[in-house]
Amino acid sequence: MPVYSMTGYASGQNSPAGSHPEAEPRAHATPRLGVEIRSVNSRFLDLTFKLPEELRQHEPALREMLTAKLKRGKVELRAAIDSGAASGIGDPSTKLLQRLNAVQDHIKAWLPDARDLSVADVLRLAAGDSVAKGDWAADLTDVTEKALKDLLSAREREGGRLARMLQDHLAQLRALATQALPLVPQLVEQQRTRFLERWQEAMGLSGGTPPEAAQDRALTEATAFAIRIDVAEELTRLNSHLDEIERLVKKGGEIGKRLDFLIQELHREANTLGSKSATLELTRIGVDMKVLIEQMREQVQNIE
């Protein structure tokens, strides 16, 4: 199953099948329906609809359509109807002209000083009448389905890019963990030798074998130091989290929340490793790990 991002954009446009059955054919002024869907990251599925009054009644159907395909993200759907008046001048139907004339006569009977309708008024009202009479239900469903399909494709492409980035960062974190693992035994051995040398100097035995008590004390100090700086447990848990993240990325689907939790756990282990660091090399590894984990955290926020 693919990994989906919550970020994406898609749009679609169409003409209604029967926008104005009463009007004569108009080649240059056909109303068109446009739909845009924008999506960004969010903890939950947050849908917003911006529809003209003519399409407001279709919001429940649109909500059901989006909910069936999207699980997380802040999603905004915009729809608009373009009357097409800007692309040409259409001919109003005879029936519409008769109706406008009758309405004008009725109004002037009560308001004799009312202004007569101009040609521009008639064309504007004709365009509005064409839009209002359009049966947009089938076209709205068709255009939204196409836009939603394009949105899912865009989110899948972005999700694939995020998955590849995560895989690359996982490999780098494993390499850093591999570098850190042998550093602790080496450091413990160095510290043990240093303790023995100090005990030798303190007891004036720099050229001979230290007494049993001095050697035991040195070994005790070295053991306590080893316990303080031991990061084997942190590295084991870190590798376990890396394995789980890799499994989830390969599985795909709705993995964003689970990945977010695992990234927090990775950050915790990297912080502990840094606090136990006793060498510049181990400190460098801890810092590099935290940089990679922070980059992963930012990208995981966009995964559905």
Side-chain angles (χ1 to χ4, degrees):
M1 186 179 296
V3 173
Y4 288 97
S5 169
M6 286 186 282
T7 302
Y9 171 83
S11 64
Q13 193 177 61
N14 197 15
S15 298
S19 62
H20 196 343
E22 298 177 337
E24 298 174 6
R26 299 184 300 169
H28 302 290
T30 303
R32 297 187 68 85
L33 169 69
V35 173
E36 289 185 348
I37 308 178
R38 304 172 186 269
S39 174
V40 296
N41 62 310
S42 176
R43 291 185 62 190
F44 307 101
L45 182 60
D46 181 8
L47 302 180
T48 302
F49 297 89
K50 296 189 177 181
L51 308 173
E53 193 61 35
E54 298 87 353
L55 304 178
R56 184 66 61 187
Q57 59 183 319
H58 302 297
E59 180 175 327
L62 294 175
R63 184 177 296 275
E64 183 178 353
M65 191 183 305
L66 267 60
T67 303
K69 297 294 185 180
L70 305 174
K71 304 305 177 185
R72 290 180 65 200
K74 183 177 178 60
V75 182
E76 178 184 279
L77 185 148
R78 289 176 175 265
I81 300 174
D82 180 5
S83 66
S87 61
I89 300 177
D91 297 327
S93 67
T94 301
K95 183 174 290 187
L96 176 62
L97 292 174
Q98 291 173 345
R99 187 165 70 250
L100 290 175
N101 188 56
V103 170
Q104 178 177 256
D105 290 343
H106 179 71
I107 291 175
K108 290 182 72 66
W110 288 91
L111 302 171
D113 295 331
R115 181 178 62 84
D116 291 338
L117 287 171
S118 67
V119 174
D121 293 334
V122 173
L123 291 175
R124 178 175 53 80
L125 292 171
D129 180 72
S130 172
V131 170
K133 282 184 173 293
D135 181 9
W136 298 97
D139 294 276
L140 181 61
T141 299
D142 182 60
V143 175
T144 302
E145 285 180 346
K146 292 178 181 177
L148 182 56
K149 182 178 179 181
D150 290 343
L151 177 70
L152 290 173
S153 297
R155 285 168 55 132
E156 182 178 348
R157 289 192 299 272
E158 178 66 11
R161 188 188 69 80
L162 294 177
R164 290 190 294 273
M165 184 279 297
L166 288 176
Q167 293 281 16
D168 180 63
H169 281 36
L170 289 174
Q172 294 182 57
L173 285 170
R174 291 187 191 280
L176 289 172
T178 301
Q179 294 175 27
L181 194 58
L183 292 179
V184 173
Q186 295 174 11
L187 184 60
V188 170
E189 182 59 29
Q190 292 173 6
Q191 195 69 13
R192 175 180 170 281
T193 302
R194 188 177 298 116
F195 282 142
L196 287 173
E197 291 173 352
R198 288 178 180 176
W199 278 106
Q200 288 176 346
E201 292 174 1
M203 300 186 68
L205 299 174
S206 58
T209 303
E212 190 70 23
Q215 188 173 10
D216 290 344
R217 180 64 184 273
L219 292 175
T220 301
E221 293 290 340
T223 301
F225 175 77
I227 293 174
R228 287 197 307 272
I229 68 167
D230 185 21
V231 293
E233 186 176 348
E234 285 75 16
L235 291 175
T236 298
R237 286 198 297 265
L238 187 140
N239 279 309
S240 176
H241 297 327
L242 295 179
D243 290 341
E244 180 63 11
I245 291 174
E246 185 172 15
R247 185 189 70 82
L248 289 173
V249 171
K250 289 181 179 179
K251 174 187 174 185
E254 301 170 40
I255 60 175
K257 291 183 178 180
R258 179 64 178 167
L259 286 178
D260 189 47
F261 169 77
L262 289 170
I263 293 298
Q264 293 180 34
E265 294 301 306
L266 281 180
H267 206 281
R268 190 195 314 275
E269 303 305 336
N271 278 335
T272 305
L273 187 146
S275 66
K276 289 186 174 183
S277 174
T279 63
L280 289 177
E281 181 64 15
L282 201 55
T283 299
R284 180 195 64 78
I285 290 174
V287 171
D288 289 346
M289 280 185 171
K290 285 194 281 188
V291 170
L292 289 170
I293 293 169
E294 181 61 23
Q295 292 173 352
M296 293 172 68
R297 186 191 66 79
E298 292 177 359
Q299 298 303 323
V300 161
Q301 299 296 319
N302 292 318
I303 294 180
E304 186 176 54

